[in-house]
Structure formats: C-alpha cells, structure tokens
PDB file of all heavy atoms in Angstrom:
ATOM      1  N   GLY A  93      86.088  73.399 106.131  1.00  0.00           N
ATOM      2  CA  GLY A  93      87.081  74.443 105.944  1.00  0.00           C
ATOM      3  C   GLY A  93      87.558  74.905 107.303  1.00  0.00           C
ATOM      4  O   GLY A  93      86.789  74.926 108.264  1.00  0.00           O
ATOM      5  N   TYR A  94      88.844  75.215 107.404  1.00  0.00           N
ATOM      6  CA  TYR A  94      89.345  75.728 108.671  1.00  0.00           C
ATOM      7  C   TYR A  94      90.245  76.922 108.432  1.00  0.00           C
ATOM      8  O   TYR A  94      90.854  77.076 107.383  1.00  0.00           O
ATOM      9  CB  TYR A  94      90.054  74.655 109.497  1.00  0.00           C
ATOM     10  CG  TYR A  94      91.325  74.100 108.899  1.00  0.00           C
ATOM     11  CD1 TYR A  94      92.538  74.778 109.005  1.00  0.00           C
ATOM     12  CD2 TYR A  94      91.323  72.875 108.244  1.00  0.00           C
ATOM     13  CE1 TYR A  94      93.704  74.256 108.473  1.00  0.00           C
ATOM     14  CE2 TYR A  94      92.473  72.347 107.715  1.00  0.00           C
ATOM     15  CZ  TYR A  94      93.672  73.041 107.832  1.00  0.00           C
ATOM     16  OH  TYR A  94      94.813  72.527 107.300  1.00  0.00           O
ATOM     17  N   THR A  95      90.291  77.776 109.442  1.00  0.00           N
ATOM     18  CA  THR A  95      91.172  78.943 109.435  1.00  0.00           C
ATOM     19  C   THR A  95      91.871  78.996 110.775  1.00  0.00           C
ATOM     20  O   THR A  95      91.226  78.896 111.818  1.00  0.00           O
ATOM     21  CB  THR A  95      90.359  80.247 109.241  1.00  0.00           C
ATOM     22  OG1 THR A  95      89.675  80.172 107.999  1.00  0.00           O
ATOM     23  CG2 THR A  95      91.269  81.465 109.245  1.00  0.00           C
ATOM     24  N   TRP A  96      93.204  79.113 110.739  1.00  0.00           N
ATOM     25  CA  TRP A  96      93.922  79.308 111.991  1.00  0.00           C
ATOM     26  C   TRP A  96      94.637  80.637 111.979  1.00  0.00           C
ATOM     27  O   TRP A  96      95.123  81.091 110.967  1.00  0.00           O
ATOM     28  CB  TRP A  96      94.857  78.165 112.340  1.00  0.00           C
ATOM     29  CG  TRP A  96      95.807  77.629 111.326  1.00  0.00           C
ATOM     30  CD1 TRP A  96      95.599  76.552 110.521  1.00  0.00           C
ATOM     31  CD2 TRP A  96      97.140  78.076 111.031  1.00  0.00           C
ATOM     32  NE1 TRP A  96      96.704  76.308 109.752  1.00  0.00           N
ATOM     33  CE2 TRP A  96      97.672  77.227 110.047  1.00  0.00           C
ATOM     34  CE3 TRP A  96      97.943  79.103 111.500  1.00  0.00           C
ATOM     35  CZ2 TRP A  96      98.950  77.381 109.521  1.00  0.00           C
ATOM     36  CZ3 TRP A  96      99.222  79.266 110.979  1.00  0.00           C
ATOM     37  CH2 TRP A  96      99.709  78.408 110.009  1.00  0.00           C
ATOM     38  N   ARG A  97      94.600  81.281 113.140  1.00  0.00           N
ATOM     39  CA  ARG A  97      95.276  82.556 113.354  1.00  0.00           C
ATOM     40  C   ARG A  97      96.149  82.402 114.592  1.00  0.00           C
ATOM     41  O   ARG A  97      95.670  81.992 115.650  1.00  0.00           O
ATOM     42  CB  ARG A  97      94.263  83.672 113.573  1.00  0.00           C
ATOM     43  CG  ARG A  97      94.919  85.010 113.848  1.00  0.00           C
ATOM     44  CD  ARG A  97      93.910  86.088 114.180  1.00  0.00           C
ATOM     45  NE  ARG A  97      94.568  87.266 114.699  1.00  0.00           N
ATOM     46  CZ  ARG A  97      94.973  88.293 113.971  1.00  0.00           C
ATOM     47  NH1 ARG A  97      94.763  88.296 112.670  1.00  0.00           N
ATOM     48  NH2 ARG A  97      95.580  89.324 114.517  1.00  0.00           N
ATOM     49  N   LEU A  98      97.423  82.727 114.438  1.00  0.00           N
ATOM     50  CA  LEU A  98      98.377  82.577 115.535  1.00  0.00           C
ATOM     51  C   LEU A  98      98.925  83.943 115.941  1.00  0.00           C
ATOM     52  O   LEU A  98      99.171  84.801 115.084  1.00  0.00           O
ATOM     53  CB  LEU A  98      99.529  81.665 115.121  1.00  0.00           C
ATOM     54  CG  LEU A  98      99.142  80.284 114.596  1.00  0.00           C
ATOM     55  CD1 LEU A  98     100.389  79.508 114.205  1.00  0.00           C
ATOM     56  CD2 LEU A  98      98.323  79.519 115.607  1.00  0.00           C
ATOM     57  N   GLU A  99      99.128  84.117 117.248  1.00  0.00           N
ATOM     58  CA  GLU A  99      99.689  85.347 117.802  1.00  0.00           C
ATOM     59  C   GLU A  99     100.775  84.986 118.803  1.00  0.00           C
ATOM     60  O   GLU A  99     100.710  83.924 119.438  1.00  0.00           O
ATOM     61  CB  GLU A  99      98.610  86.157 118.509  1.00  0.00           C
ATOM     62  CG  GLU A  99      97.497  86.604 117.592  1.00  0.00           C
ATOM     63  CD  GLU A  99      96.397  87.338 118.343  1.00  0.00           C
ATOM     64  OE1 GLU A  99      96.393  87.310 119.592  1.00  0.00           O
ATOM     65  OE2 GLU A  99      95.542  87.935 117.664  1.00  0.00           O
ATOM     66  N   ASP A 100     101.756  85.881 118.970  1.00  0.00           N
ATOM     67  CA  ASP A 100     102.780  85.629 119.981  1.00  0.00           C
ATOM     68  C   ASP A 100     102.230  85.989 121.358  1.00  0.00           C
ATOM     69  O   ASP A 100     101.083  86.421 121.497  1.00  0.00           O
ATOM     70  CB  ASP A 100     104.086  86.354 119.661  1.00  0.00           C
ATOM     71  CG  ASP A 100     104.026  87.859 119.806  1.00  0.00           C
ATOM     72  OD1 ASP A 100     103.029  88.389 120.341  1.00  0.00           O
ATOM     73  OD2 ASP A 100     104.980  88.531 119.378  1.00  0.00           O
ATOM     74  N   GLU A 101     103.051  85.807 122.371  1.00  0.00           N
ATOM     75  CA  GLU A 101     102.582  86.017 123.747  1.00  0.00           C
ATOM     76  C   GLU A 101     102.229  87.471 124.045  1.00  0.00           C
ATOM     77  O   GLU A 101     101.558  87.765 125.026  1.00  0.00           O
ATOM     78  CB  GLU A 101     103.620  85.503 124.742  1.00  0.00           C
ATOM     79  CG  GLU A 101     104.984  86.089 124.546  1.00  0.00           C
ATOM     80  CD  GLU A 101     106.075  85.307 125.244  1.00  0.00           C
ATOM     81  OE1 GLU A 101     105.781  84.356 125.972  1.00  0.00           O
ATOM     82  OE2 GLU A 101     107.243  85.659 125.053  1.00  0.00           O
ATOM     83  N   ASN A 102     102.641  88.413 123.183  1.00  0.00           N
ATOM     84  CA  ASN A 102     102.308  89.823 123.336  1.00  0.00           C
ATOM     85  C   ASN A 102     101.089  90.220 122.508  1.00  0.00           C
ATOM     86  O   ASN A 102     100.752  91.394 122.428  1.00  0.00           O
ATOM     87  CB  ASN A 102     103.498  90.701 122.956  1.00  0.00           C
ATOM     88  CG  ASN A 102     104.703  90.432 123.832  1.00  0.00           C
ATOM     89  OD1 ASN A 102     104.568  90.307 125.046  1.00  0.00           O
ATOM     90  ND2 ASN A 102     105.865  90.306 123.221  1.00  0.00           N
ATOM     91  N   GLY A 103     100.469  89.243 121.841  1.00  0.00           N
ATOM     92  CA  GLY A 103      99.299  89.516 121.021  1.00  0.00           C
ATOM     93  C   GLY A 103      99.619  89.977 119.615  1.00  0.00           C
ATOM     94  O   GLY A 103      98.730  90.349 118.858  1.00  0.00           O
ATOM     95  N   GLU A 104     100.897  89.928 119.230  1.00  0.00           N
ATOM     96  CA  GLU A 104     101.308  90.336 117.881  1.00  0.00           C
ATOM     97  C   GLU A 104     100.976  89.234 116.875  1.00  0.00           C
ATOM     98  O   GLU A 104     101.273  88.065 117.093  1.00  0.00           O
ATOM     99  CB  GLU A 104     102.801  90.627 117.851  1.00  0.00           C
ATOM    100  CG  GLU A 104     103.285  91.178 116.536  1.00  0.00           C
ATOM    101  CD  GLU A 104     104.773  91.525 116.566  1.00  0.00           C
ATOM    102  OE1 GLU A 104     105.276  91.944 117.617  1.00  0.00           O
ATOM    103  OE2 GLU A 104     105.419  91.348 115.510  1.00  0.00           O
ATOM    104  N   PHE A 105     100.358  89.621 115.772  1.00  0.00           N
ATOM    105  CA  PHE A 105      99.973  88.688 114.717  1.00  0.00           C
ATOM    106  C   PHE A 105     101.194  87.965 114.153  1.00  0.00           C
ATOM    107  O   PHE A 105     102.214  88.571 113.859  1.00  0.00           O
ATOM    108  CB  PHE A 105      99.263  89.455 113.598  1.00  0.00           C
ATOM    109  CG  PHE A 105      99.001  88.633 112.378  1.00  0.00           C
ATOM    110  CD1 PHE A 105      97.950  87.750 112.328  1.00  0.00           C
ATOM    111  CD2 PHE A 105      99.830  88.742 111.268  1.00  0.00           C
ATOM    112  CE1 PHE A 105      97.713  86.980 111.198  1.00  0.00           C
ATOM    113  CE2 PHE A 105      99.603  87.981 110.132  1.00  0.00           C
ATOM    114  CZ  PHE A 105      98.543  87.101 110.108  1.00  0.00           C
ATOM    115  N   LEU A 106     101.076  86.644 113.986  1.00  0.00           N
ATOM    116  CA  LEU A 106     102.138  85.841 113.387  1.00  0.00           C
ATOM    117  C   LEU A 106     101.723  85.240 112.048  1.00  0.00           C
ATOM    118  O   LEU A 106     102.481  85.292 111.096  1.00  0.00           O
ATOM    119  CB  LEU A 106     102.570  84.718 114.335  1.00  0.00           C
ATOM    120  CG  LEU A 106     103.210  85.141 115.650  1.00  0.00           C
ATOM    121  CD1 LEU A 106     103.442  83.922 116.532  1.00  0.00           C
ATOM    122  CD2 LEU A 106     104.509  85.884 115.397  1.00  0.00           C
ATOM    123  N   SER A 107     100.530  84.643 111.978  1.00  0.00           N
ATOM    124  CA  SER A 107     100.149  83.957 110.759  1.00  0.00           C
ATOM    125  C   SER A 107      98.649  83.703 110.716  1.00  0.00           C
ATOM    126  O   SER A 107      98.009  83.522 111.751  1.00  0.00           O
ATOM    127  CB  SER A 107     100.894  82.628 110.673  1.00  0.00           C
ATOM    128  OG  SER A 107     100.586  81.965 109.477  1.00  0.00           O
ATOM    129  N   LEU A 108      98.127  83.651 109.482  1.00  0.00           N
ATOM    130  CA  LEU A 108      96.720  83.333 109.240  1.00  0.00           C
ATOM    131  C   LEU A 108      96.663  82.460 107.997  1.00  0.00           C
ATOM    132  O   LEU A 108      97.215  82.823 106.956  1.00  0.00           O
ATOM    133  CB  LEU A 108      95.909  84.611 109.012  1.00  0.00           C
ATOM    134  CG  LEU A 108      94.453  84.419 108.617  1.00  0.00           C
ATOM    135  CD1 LEU A 108      93.635  84.043 109.843  1.00  0.00           C
ATOM    136  CD2 LEU A 108      93.914  85.696 108.001  1.00  0.00           C
ATOM    137  N   VAL A 109      96.033  81.295 108.102  1.00  0.00           N
ATOM    138  CA  VAL A 109      95.936  80.355 106.984  1.00  0.00           C
ATOM    139  C   VAL A 109      94.526  79.775 106.946  1.00  0.00           C
ATOM    140  O   VAL A 109      93.954  79.455 107.982  1.00  0.00           O
ATOM    141  CB  VAL A 109      96.975  79.214 107.116  1.00  0.00           C
ATOM    142  CG1 VAL A 109      96.749  78.134 106.079  1.00  0.00           C
ATOM    143  CG2 VAL A 109      98.387  79.761 107.028  1.00  0.00           C
ATOM    144  N   THR A 110      93.975  79.639 105.742  1.00  0.00           N
ATOM    145  CA  THR A 110      92.681  79.002 105.531  1.00  0.00           C
ATOM    146  C   THR A 110      92.870  77.836 104.569  1.00  0.00           C
ATOM    147  O   THR A 110      93.530  77.986 103.540  1.00  0.00           O
ATOM    148  CB  THR A 110      91.666  80.004 104.943  1.00  0.00           C
ATOM    149  OG1 THR A 110      91.507  81.076 105.866  1.00  0.00           O
ATOM    150  CG2 THR A 110      90.321  79.346 104.695  1.00  0.00           C
ATOM    151  N   ARG A 111      92.305  76.676 104.917  1.00  0.00           N
ATOM    152  CA  ARG A 111      92.429  75.482 104.093  1.00  0.00           C
ATOM    153  C   ARG A 111      91.114  74.694 104.089  1.00  0.00           C
ATOM    154  O   ARG A 111      90.406  74.663 105.075  1.00  0.00           O
ATOM    155  CB  ARG A 111      93.503  74.544 104.633  1.00  0.00           C
ATOM    156  CG  ARG A 111      94.898  75.104 104.654  1.00  0.00           C
ATOM    157  CD  ARG A 111      95.594  74.837 103.350  1.00  0.00           C
ATOM    158  NE  ARG A 111      96.993  75.182 103.441  1.00  0.00           N
ATOM    159  CZ  ARG A 111      97.511  76.314 103.005  1.00  0.00           C
ATOM    160  NH1 ARG A 111      96.742  77.216 102.475  1.00  0.00           N
ATOM    161  NH2 ARG A 111      98.798  76.553 103.106  1.00  0.00           N
ATOM    162  N   PRO A 112      90.850  73.981 102.981  1.00  0.00           N
ATOM    163  CA  PRO A 112      89.715  73.058 102.950  1.00  0.00           C
ATOM    164  C   PRO A 112      90.175  71.615 103.169  1.00  0.00           C
ATOM    165  O   PRO A 112      91.318  71.268 102.866  1.00  0.00           O
ATOM    166  CB  PRO A 112      89.189  73.220 101.527  1.00  0.00           C
ATOM    167  CG  PRO A 112      90.436  73.473 100.731  1.00  0.00           C
ATOM    168  CD  PRO A 112      91.348  74.275 101.645  1.00  0.00           C
ATOM    169  N   VAL A 113      89.295  70.794 103.711  1.00  0.00           N
ATOM    170  CA  VAL A 113      89.516  69.352 103.802  1.00  0.00           C
ATOM    171  C   VAL A 113      88.274  68.697 103.205  1.00  0.00           C
ATOM    172  O   VAL A 113      87.179  68.814 103.749  1.00  0.00           O
ATOM    173  CB  VAL A 113      89.714  68.882 105.259  1.00  0.00           C
ATOM    174  CG1 VAL A 113      89.890  67.368 105.314  1.00  0.00           C
ATOM    175  CG2 VAL A 113      90.897  69.582 105.903  1.00  0.00           C
ATOM    176  N   SER A 114      88.451  68.031 102.086  1.00  0.00           N
ATOM    177  CA  SER A 114      87.336  67.382 101.406  1.00  0.00           C
ATOM    178  C   SER A 114      86.841  66.183 102.204  1.00  0.00           C
ATOM    179  O   SER A 114      87.635  65.436 102.787  1.00  0.00           O
ATOM    180  CB  SER A 114      87.776  66.926 100.014  1.00  0.00           C
ATOM    181  OG  SER A 114      86.767  66.142  99.412  1.00  0.00           O
ATOM    182  N   LEU A 115      85.537  65.993 102.216  1.00  0.00           N
ATOM    183  CA  LEU A 115      84.977  64.818 102.890  1.00  0.00           C
ATOM    184  C   LEU A 115      85.443  63.520 102.236  1.00  0.00           C
ATOM    185  O   LEU A 115      85.466  62.472 102.878  1.00  0.00           O
ATOM    186  CB  LEU A 115      83.446  64.884 102.897  1.00  0.00           C
ATOM    187  CG  LEU A 115      82.834  65.972 103.779  1.00  0.00           C
ATOM    188  CD1 LEU A 115      81.313  65.981 103.633  1.00  0.00           C
ATOM    189  CD2 LEU A 115      83.220  65.805 105.241  1.00  0.00           C
ATOM    190  N   ARG A 116      85.861  63.589 100.967  1.00  0.00           N
ATOM    191  CA  ARG A 116      86.316  62.383 100.260  1.00  0.00           C
ATOM    192  C   ARG A 116      87.629  61.843 100.806  1.00  0.00           C
ATOM    193  O   ARG A 116      87.918  60.660 100.645  1.00  0.00           O
ATOM    194  CB  ARG A 116      86.461  62.670  98.770  1.00  0.00           C
ATOM    195  CG  ARG A 116      85.120  62.882  98.088  1.00  0.00           C
ATOM    196  CD  ARG A 116      85.298  63.135  96.637  1.00  0.00           C
ATOM    197  NE  ARG A 116      85.867  64.477  96.486  1.00  0.00           N
ATOM    198  CZ  ARG A 116      86.229  65.020  95.350  1.00  0.00           C
ATOM    199  NH1 ARG A 116      86.121  64.339  94.234  1.00  0.00           N
ATOM    200  NH2 ARG A 116      86.697  66.233  95.294  1.00  0.00           N
ATOM    201  N   VAL A 117      88.445  62.684 101.446  1.00  0.00           N
ATOM    202  CA  VAL A 117      89.732  62.209 101.956  1.00  0.00           C
ATOM    203  C   VAL A 117      89.661  61.749 103.413  1.00  0.00           C
ATOM    204  O   VAL A 117      90.615  61.181 103.928  1.00  0.00           O
ATOM    205  CB  VAL A 117      90.846  63.279 101.807  1.00  0.00           C
ATOM    206  CG1 VAL A 117      91.018  63.685 100.365  1.00  0.00           C
ATOM    207  CG2 VAL A 117      90.572  64.487 102.682  1.00  0.00           C
ATOM    208  N   ILE A 118      88.528  61.982 104.056  1.00  0.00           N
ATOM    209  CA  ILE A 118      88.373  61.576 105.451  1.00  0.00           C
ATOM    210  C   ILE A 118      88.016  60.088 105.483  1.00  0.00           C
ATOM    211  O   ILE A 118      87.039  59.663 104.875  1.00  0.00           O
ATOM    212  CB  ILE A 118      87.291  62.420 106.152  1.00  0.00           C
ATOM    213  CG1 ILE A 118      87.714  63.894 106.128  1.00  0.00           C
ATOM    214  CG2 ILE A 118      87.064  61.930 107.578  1.00  0.00           C
ATOM    215  CD1 ILE A 118      86.663  64.855 106.624  1.00  0.00           C
ATOM    216  N   PRO A 119      88.827  59.280 106.155  1.00  0.00           N
ATOM    217  CA  PRO A 119      88.568  57.833 106.190  1.00  0.00           C
ATOM    218  C   PRO A 119      87.205  57.517 106.801  1.00  0.00           C
ATOM    219  O   PRO A 119      86.762  58.196 107.732  1.00  0.00           O
ATOM    220  CB  PRO A 119      89.695  57.287 107.074  1.00  0.00           C
ATOM    221  CG  PRO A 119      90.756  58.332 107.057  1.00  0.00           C
ATOM    222  CD  PRO A 119      90.038  59.638 106.901  1.00  0.00           C
ATOM    223  N   PRO A 120      86.541  56.483 106.294  1.00  0.00           N
ATOM    224  CA  PRO A 120      85.245  56.078 106.850  1.00  0.00           C
ATOM    225  C   PRO A 120      85.364  55.785 108.344  1.00  0.00           C
ATOM    226  O   PRO A 120      86.352  55.202 108.800  1.00  0.00           O
ATOM    227  CB  PRO A 120      84.896  54.809 106.080  1.00  0.00           C
ATOM    228  CG  PRO A 120      85.718  54.872 104.834  1.00  0.00           C
ATOM    229  CD  PRO A 120      86.961  55.630 105.186  1.00  0.00           C
ATOM    230  N   GLY A 121      84.378  56.221 109.081  1.00  0.00           N
ATOM    231  CA  GLY A 121      84.365  55.973 110.514  1.00  0.00           C
ATOM    232  C   GLY A 121      85.075  57.020 111.354  1.00  0.00           C
ATOM    233  O   GLY A 121      85.004  56.984 112.571  1.00  0.00           O
ATOM    234  N   HIS A 122      85.797  57.938 110.721  1.00  0.00           N
ATOM    235  CA  HIS A 122      86.492  58.992 111.455  1.00  0.00           C
ATOM    236  C   HIS A 122      85.591  60.217 111.584  1.00  0.00           C
ATOM    237  O   HIS A 122      84.857  60.560 110.660  1.00  0.00           O
ATOM    238  CB  HIS A 122      87.786  59.395 110.746  1.00  0.00           C
ATOM    239  CG  HIS A 122      88.887  58.418 110.922  1.00  0.00           C
ATOM    240  ND1 HIS A 122      88.957  57.239 110.210  1.00  0.00           N
ATOM    241  CD2 HIS A 122      89.955  58.430 111.726  1.00  0.00           C
ATOM    242  CE1 HIS A 122      90.030  56.581 110.570  1.00  0.00           C
ATOM    243  NE2 HIS A 122      90.657  57.285 111.498  1.00  0.00           N
ATOM    244  N   ASP A 123      85.680  60.885 112.719  1.00  0.00           N
ATOM    245  CA  ASP A 123      84.944  62.127 112.906  1.00  0.00           C
ATOM    246  C   ASP A 123      85.564  63.194 111.997  1.00  0.00           C
ATOM    247  O   ASP A 123      86.775  63.422 112.054  1.00  0.00           O
ATOM    248  CB  ASP A 123      85.031  62.576 114.366  1.00  0.00           C
ATOM    249  CG  ASP A 123      84.323  63.884 114.589  1.00  0.00           C
ATOM    250  OD1 ASP A 123      83.088  63.873 114.720  1.00  0.00           O
ATOM    251  OD2 ASP A 123      85.008  64.928 114.613  1.00  0.00           O
ATOM    252  N   PRO A 124      84.770  63.848 111.149  1.00  0.00           N
ATOM    253  CA  PRO A 124      85.322  64.835 110.218  1.00  0.00           C
ATOM    254  C   PRO A 124      86.025  65.997 110.911  1.00  0.00           C
ATOM    255  O   PRO A 124      87.051  66.478 110.437  1.00  0.00           O
ATOM    256  CB  PRO A 124      84.103  65.331 109.437  1.00  0.00           C
ATOM    257  CG  PRO A 124      83.048  64.316 109.636  1.00  0.00           C
ATOM    258  CD  PRO A 124      83.338  63.635 110.929  1.00  0.00           C
ATOM    259  N   PHE A 125      85.492  66.430 112.051  1.00  0.00           N
ATOM    260  CA  PHE A 125      86.128  67.542 112.761  1.00  0.00           C
ATOM    261  C   PHE A 125      87.461  67.129 113.378  1.00  0.00           C
ATOM    262  O   PHE A 125      88.427  67.886 113.350  1.00  0.00           O
ATOM    263  CB  PHE A 125      85.189  68.112 113.827  1.00  0.00           C
ATOM    264  CG  PHE A 125      84.113  68.988 113.259  1.00  0.00           C
ATOM    265  CD1 PHE A 125      82.831  68.510 113.111  1.00  0.00           C
ATOM    266  CD2 PHE A 125      84.385  70.288 112.856  1.00  0.00           C
ATOM    267  CE1 PHE A 125      81.829  69.310 112.583  1.00  0.00           C
ATOM    268  CE2 PHE A 125      83.397  71.096 112.318  1.00  0.00           C
ATOM    269  CZ  PHE A 125      82.119  70.612 112.186  1.00  0.00           C
ATOM    270  N   ASP A 126      87.531  65.935 113.943  1.00  0.00           N
ATOM    271  CA  ASP A 126      88.800  65.461 114.507  1.00  0.00           C
ATOM    272  C   ASP A 126      89.848  65.302 113.414  1.00  0.00           C
ATOM    273  O   ASP A 126      91.021  65.636 113.607  1.00  0.00           O
ATOM    274  CB  ASP A 126      88.603  64.138 115.249  1.00  0.00           C
ATOM    275  CG  ASP A 126      87.884  64.317 116.574  1.00  0.00           C
ATOM    276  OD1 ASP A 126      87.889  65.437 117.124  1.00  0.00           O
ATOM    277  OD2 ASP A 126      87.313  63.316 117.067  1.00  0.00           O
ATOM    278  N   TYR A 127      89.435  64.793 112.264  1.00  0.00           N
ATOM    279  CA  TYR A 127      90.363  64.647 111.141  1.00  0.00           C
ATOM    280  C   TYR A 127      90.855  66.020 110.679  1.00  0.00           C
ATOM    281  O   TYR A 127      92.052  66.214 110.440  1.00  0.00           O
ATOM    282  CB  TYR A 127      89.692  63.903 109.988  1.00  0.00           C
ATOM    283  CG  TYR A 127      90.647  63.550 108.877  1.00  0.00           C
ATOM    284  CD1 TYR A 127      91.386  62.375 108.914  1.00  0.00           C
ATOM    285  CD2 TYR A 127      90.829  64.405 107.794  1.00  0.00           C
ATOM    286  CE1 TYR A 127      92.274  62.049 107.905  1.00  0.00           C
ATOM    287  CE2 TYR A 127      91.716  64.087 106.778  1.00  0.00           C
ATOM    288  CZ  TYR A 127      92.435  62.912 106.846  1.00  0.00           C
ATOM    289  OH  TYR A 127      93.322  62.606 105.838  1.00  0.00           O
ATOM    290  N   ALA A 128      89.942  66.991 110.572  1.00  0.00           N
ATOM    291  CA  ALA A 128      90.318  68.343 110.151  1.00  0.00           C
ATOM    292  C   ALA A 128      91.232  69.001 111.180  1.00  0.00           C
ATOM    293  O   ALA A 128      92.162  69.733 110.812  1.00  0.00           O
ATOM    294  CB  ALA A 128      89.078  69.188 109.908  1.00  0.00           C
ATOM    295  N   LEU A 129      91.014  68.739 112.469  1.00  0.00           N
ATOM    296  CA  LEU A 129      91.893  69.285 113.507  1.00  0.00           C
ATOM    297  C   LEU A 129      93.299  68.720 113.355  1.00  0.00           C
ATOM    298  O   LEU A 129      94.287  69.457 113.418  1.00  0.00           O
ATOM    299  CB  LEU A 129      91.336  68.981 114.900  1.00  0.00           C
ATOM    300  CG  LEU A 129      92.205  69.422 116.079  1.00  0.00           C
ATOM    301  CD1 LEU A 129      92.472  70.924 116.058  1.00  0.00           C
ATOM    302  CD2 LEU A 129      91.564  69.005 117.399  1.00  0.00           C
ATOM    303  N   THR A 130      93.408  67.417 113.129  1.00  0.00           N
ATOM    304  CA  THR A 130      94.720  66.806 112.903  1.00  0.00           C
ATOM    305  C   THR A 130      95.399  67.418 111.682  1.00  0.00           C
ATOM    306  O   THR A 130      96.598  67.702 111.695  1.00  0.00           O
ATOM    307  CB  THR A 130      94.560  65.281 112.719  1.00  0.00           C
ATOM    308  OG1 THR A 130      93.939  64.740 113.879  1.00  0.00           O
ATOM    309  CG2 THR A 130      95.895  64.602 112.501  1.00  0.00           C
ATOM    310  N   HIS A 131      94.631  67.645 110.628  1.00  0.00           N
ATOM    311  CA  HIS A 131      95.132  68.267 109.401  1.00  0.00           C
ATOM    312  C   HIS A 131      95.655  69.677 109.696  1.00  0.00           C
ATOM    313  O   HIS A 131      96.728  70.072 109.232  1.00  0.00           O
ATOM    314  CB  HIS A 131      93.996  68.303 108.374  1.00  0.00           C
ATOM    315  CG  HIS A 131      94.407  68.655 106.992  1.00  0.00           C
ATOM    316  ND1 HIS A 131      94.531  69.955 106.561  1.00  0.00           N
ATOM    317  CD2 HIS A 131      94.706  67.876 105.931  1.00  0.00           C
ATOM    318  CE1 HIS A 131      94.885  69.968 105.299  1.00  0.00           C
ATOM    319  NE2 HIS A 131      95.002  68.701 104.889  1.00  0.00           N
ATOM    320  N   ALA A 132      94.911  70.448 110.480  1.00  0.00           N
ATOM    321  CA  ALA A 132      95.309  71.819 110.815  1.00  0.00           C
ATOM    322  C   ALA A 132      96.576  71.838 111.666  1.00  0.00           C
ATOM    323  O   ALA A 132      97.492  72.633 111.404  1.00  0.00           O
ATOM    324  CB  ALA A 132      94.168  72.526 111.545  1.00  0.00           C
TER     325      ALA A 132
END
C-alpha cells in the first residue's frame, strides 16, 4: 500500500492519495517496492 502527499513550494497542501498494489499484479522477478513506486 502506498500514500502520497504533495505540497506546493510554499508548503500548501495539494493532494493526498492512498492506493494498494496487489502482489499478484507484480511481474515475477521485479522488486515489489520498485514496481509500487512506478505505479505511484
């Protein structure tokens, strides 16, 4: 699961999103964290 929070250059909140990435969709041999980072 990942959550990203984005802010502008003044520290003002822009967006917050949480998403899951199932291990079943991660191709064999790929690092799960690298795959989730690409997804995010």
Side-chain angles (χ1 to χ4, degrees):
Y94 65 81
T95 300
W96 49 264
R97 178 185 168 92
L98 305 179
E99 298 177 349
D100 70 10
E101 55 197 355
N102 299 316
E104 185 177 326
F105 172 79
L106 296 174
S107 182
L108 174 77
V109 172
T110 299
R111 298 272 189 261
V113 178
S114 172
L115 291 177
R116 290 181 288 176
V117 302
I118 299 173
H122 284 78
D123 178 81
F125 283 102
D126 287 338
Y127 188 87
L129 176 59
T130 302
H131 192 275

